[in-house]
Amino acid sequence: MKGKSGGQEKMELNEKTGKILLFTVLALRSTSLLFSTLGLAAMGPFTLLGYRFLLAFAVLVIIFWKRLKSIDRSVLIHGTVMGILFFLTMTCETFGLKMTNSSTTAFLENTAVVLVPIADGLLVRRFPGKSVIISSLFALAGVGFITLKGGHLEFSTGVMLDLLAAVFYTSVVITTDRYSKTDDAPMLGVIQIGVIGILSMVFAFVTEDPIRSFSTNVWIMVACLALICTCLGFTLQPVAQKHVSATIAGLYCACYPLITAILGAIFLGERIGWNGVIGGAMIIGAMIAASLPGKPMKKEC
């Protein structure tokens, strides 16, 4: 009985660590908007993504060379699948952002908050718990308060791309959840980064001009994106999800626009306003509510 209690405590500590790490990952990734804004003024989107992810991949190969030499076929295949799905997510997000405003893109892409528990529930043939459902809806409403700011949605090609980004990100969260439980999580992240970089650079050569000269400031932005947002942010997400359910990981993606709004207020002088305060409180409250104990509603098949 004592051993069981110790094991349960260890599991809870792992889950708590996973949530902290996942929040940290999203915080690191949210800084990419600050750097990307400057980088996109000089580079095409695929060129920026290509250099960013290939540079990060090169750094990670040096760090993890010994482990990479011994990775098995499963890690290689699963990391490639994750990389393709994330590349599709970022491509839809980038082109959706060109056709719609940033608030619409942020809101629609973060519908993954609701899509993840639904999709995960369908896969395991089990409804998520009431607290998760309510928390997801509250988090989505919070994202709306932060991003929409009185705006309205009209169906268009841009909106469709934003929704596709949400669908692809939902698949990223779920596949990462499944693969990180059985495979070498850090190596999944490394392979994923390499795949995103290769695909981005291929499309850059087809649609842009990636080999022209760029200023030193642009390369500094690329280096910041590669080292801070990518090496740490993308590599650590599979590690974090190893101890966190797909549903909770999907809910935490609501932190992305919240952290972005805070960073924008600090570094860009953007005004959050009461809508942002209310939205932030709703997101934080949703995360706390989802962490409360509760039994999932099972569906008989």
Side-chain angles (χ1 to χ4, degrees), residues 180-212:
S180 65
K181 300 294 191 293
T182 57
D183 293 326
D184 187 336
M187 294 305 97
L188 284 173
V190 174
I191 299 300
Q192 172 186 247
I193 287 171
V195 171
I196 297 173
I198 292 170
L199 290 174
S200 298
M201 193 55 73
V202 168
F203 277 83
F205 273 102
V206 172
T207 62
E208 300 168 0
D209 182 18
I211 57 174
R212 67 187 181 88

Side-chain angles (χ1 to χ4, degrees), residues 14-35:
N14 284 340
E15 184 178 0
K16 184 184 293 185
T17 302
K19 289 178 180 179
I20 294 172
L21 184 57
L22 187 59
F23 181 84
T24 304
V25 164
L26 291 169
L28 289 170
R29 290 230 304 266
S30 66
T31 63
S32 66
L33 292 181
L34 299 176
F35 298 123

Side-chain angles (χ1 to χ4, degrees), residues 14 34 39 55 69 79 95 104 118-119 165 224 229 235 248 279 289 294:
N14 284 340
L34 299 176
L55 177 58
K69 287 195 299 182
F95 285 94
T104 299
I118 292 174
C224 289
C229 310
T235 306
I248 295 298

Side-chain angles (χ1 to χ4, degrees), residues 112-279:
V113 171
V114 176
L115 293 177
V116 169
I118 292 174
D120 191 49
L122 290 173
L123 287 174
V124 299
R125 298 182 180 182
R126 183 183 64 199
F127 289 119
K130 289 181 181 179
S131 64
V132 171
I133 295 173
I134 295 173
S135 298
S136 297
L137 293 174
F138 256 78
L140 184 61
V143 172
F145 267 98
I146 291 174
T147 59
L148 294 183
K149 297 177 182 176
H152 62 281
L153 296 175
E154 294 180 357
F155 188 78
S156 64
T157 303
V159 167
M160 184 176 68
L161 287 171
D162 292 336
L163 289 172
L164 275 176
V167 171
F168 283 129
Y169 187 69
T170 297
S171 64
V172 167
V173 172
I174 292 176
T175 53
T176 302
D177 173 72
R178 301 297 191 271
Y179 298 155
S180 65
K181 300 294 191 293
T182 57
D183 293 326
D184 187 336
M187 294 305 97
L188 284 173
V190 174
I191 299 300
Q192 172 186 247
I193 287 171
V195 171
I196 297 173
I198 292 170
L199 290 174
S200 298
M201 193 55 73
V202 168
F203 277 83
F205 273 102
V206 172
T207 62
E208 300 168 0
D209 182 18
I211 57 174
R212 67 187 181 88
S213 61
F214 299 103
S215 69
T216 302
N217 287 339
V218 172
W219 287 117
I220 291 174
M221 293 302 109
V222 172
C224 289
L225 282 167
L227 298 177
I228 298 174
C229 310
T230 310
C231 280
L232 295 175
F234 280 78
T235 306
L236 293 178
Q237 181 166 348
V239 178
Q241 283 197 235
K242 193 177 186 71
H243 306 292
V244 178
S245 70
T247 297
I248 295 298
L251 179 62
Y252 268 52
C253 75
C255 297
Y256 193 90
L258 173 60
I259 298 170
T260 300
I262 294 172
L263 291 175
I266 295 173
F267 295 103
L268 301 178
E270 296 178 350
R271 188 170 177 271
I272 295 179
W274 282 108
N275 280 358
V277 174
I278 294 171

